[in-house]
Amino acid sequence: MTIAIQILVLGLIILSVISLVTVPVILASPGEWEKSKNIVYTSAGVWSMLVIITGIANLFIA
């Protein structure tokens, strides 16, 4: 179970770093928001689910 949580946290870190770079670039580029807003919303949803799943999985570790 510990390895599963470590993989979840690694995925969370990777997605956070990718979002940290790409979201400001998308928002600063003219016309990119209309093309990429679905990707931003989807990645935010995936990030939120990773946080929730990691928190729930962490409850089972004693």
Side-chain angles (χ1 to χ4, degrees), residues 9-56:
V9 170
L10 179 64
L12 190 59
I13 290 170
I14 290 171
L15 188 58
S16 295
V17 169
I18 291 170
S19 296
L20 183 69
V21 173
T22 58
V23 170
V25 170
I26 289 171
L27 292 175
S29 301
E32 282 295 314
W33 174 246
E34 288 80 18
K35 290 189 257 179
S36 304
K37 68 179 172 181
N38 287 334
I39 295 170
V40 172
Y41 288 145
T42 303
S43 64
V46 169
W47 186 87
S48 299
M49 289 306 298
L50 272 173
V51 169
I52 292 168
I53 291 170
T54 304
I56 291 171

